[in-house]
Amino acid sequence: IDTVAKKIKTEKTEVSYDICVIATGSHAALPPYVSRERASKLDGAFVYRNIAALDATIKYAESGRVSRAAVIGGGLLGLEAAKAVLDLPTVPQVTLVERNEWVLSRQLDGGAGRMVLDKVRRLNVEVLLRARVRNIVTKPGEDGKEIFAGLHLESGETYPCEMVIFAVGIKARDELGRASGLTCHAKGGIIVQDNLQTSAPDVYAIGECANWHGETYGLIAPGVEMADVLSFNLTEGMTTHKQRAMTAVDL
């Protein structure tokens, strides 16, 4: 994006703009002990982010090799992933690994989080709290690949399982913003103001690629709210001169 000439440069052409909105989304984050290169050569390890990943997870679970599956992350996606795997008839046991003292720690306080935890356990999901994974356990596979075989916890315990799903958050796809000279956060994401404008005039960012007040959001509701605020400001707000702004209450 040439923010001075107000042009979008693609591999094939250039397009002029009056207003530019960046909505490039995110990648599923991986824990520090699993690089993307390693993950690409690892059988039995998955992320919970898109349809292709879900199809691959189901196919692996139906292979008959999985007696226990682990889900890393006790947030909304982690809980959803654990229940989805539990519902597969070929996986008899699911273990949820959460580093905090209760699940949904970003959304709930301790009391409410423990109420949800009790409900999750009644669904026959095993939950490990205050558990941090140091590394994964693997065994040799074919064609230079590794096969996931378990978790090595920071406590020193090795936890055997045949499949793992990482639900540890998102990594904002802010490469376009960085290449275009837009201000991005050190933790990731194109920094936006309360009206969703980036550091360049007439360039906005919404959804999972945006960083608002130091946070990126990997859920649908904040993305919809950002789109709603911006669409109002660029339509009705232009004529009434009444602009909406993002607030913490919206999220």
Side-chain angles (χ1 to χ4, degrees), residues 7-249:
K7 289 184 178 181
I8 306 293
K9 298 181 180 180
T10 75
E11 291 180 347
K12 297 181 179 180
T13 187
E14 290 187 2
V15 180
S16 298
Y17 68 85
D18 296 311
I19 299 289
C20 174
V21 181
I22 304 173
T24 47
S26 69
H27 300 289
L30 287 172
Y33 49 85
V34 180
S35 66
R36 293 198 177 275
E37 181 181 1
R38 187 183 187 189
S40 67
K41 300 177 182 178
L42 183 61
D43 286 338
F46 304 93
V47 294
Y48 193 74
R49 200 70 199 154
N50 56 40
I51 297 298
L54 299 184
D55 288 342
T57 304
I58 292 171
K59 183 178 179 180
Y60 197 86
E62 292 176 342
S63 66
R65 294 180 283 178
V66 182
S67 60
R68 176 188 277 123
V71 178
I72 312 299
L76 285 168
L77 285 182
L79 291 179
E80 185 177 307
K83 181 60 167 64
V85 176
L86 186 68
D87 287 343
L88 297 175
T90 53
V91 182
Q93 180 62 51
V94 177
T95 299
L96 184 71
V97 182
E98 168 57 40
R99 64 183 182 178
N100 294 301
E101 296 185 1
W102 59 84
V103 296
L104 298 182
S105 58
R106 291 189 65 179
Q107 289 82 20
L108 303 177
D109 62 17
R114 292 184 185 92
M115 289 176 64
V116 175
L117 176 63
D118 290 341
K119 176 66 174 179
V120 171
R121 284 174 167 160
R122 285 199 296 270
L123 294 174
N124 203 30
V125 174
E126 182 182 17
V127 183
L128 303 181
L129 297 175
R130 297 184 295 278
R132 292 178 178 268
V133 180
R134 178 180 296 172
N135 208 340
I136 57 174
V137 179
T138 63
K139 57 185 180 181
E142 298 179 355
D143 301 325
K145 287 193 171 185
E146 297 177 274
I147 299 175
F148 175 79
L151 303 170
H152 185 56
L153 304 181
E154 287 191 353
S155 63
E157 179 184 3
T158 297
Y159 208 84
C161 43
E162 295 78 30
M163 185 173 79
V164 64
I165 299 173
F166 297 111
V168 295
I170 63 167
K171 179 176 174 56
R173 294 182 59 180
D174 58 10
E175 300 90 343
L176 177 59
R178 294 181 186 277
S180 305
L182 302 179
T183 302
C184 295
H185 199 280
K187 295 193 300 183
I190 303 168
I191 294 177
V192 296
Q193 303 171 30
D194 290 347
N195 65 349
L196 288 314
Q197 182 175 298
T198 68
S199 57
D202 299 321
V203 179
Y204 300 83
I206 61 173
E208 295 170 358
C209 69
N211 186 299
W212 181 66
H213 289 206
E215 295 286 342
T216 53
Y217 296 89
L219 301 173
I220 186 65
V224 170
E225 182 63 26
M226 290 179 182
D228 191 47
V229 168
L230 183 58
S231 62
F232 175 89
N233 290 344
L234 296 181
T235 53
E236 184 177 342
M238 289 289 195
T239 57
T240 63
H241 304 293
K242 294 180 180 179
Q243 295 283 295
R244 287 180 56 189
M246 291 291 294
T247 67
V249 175

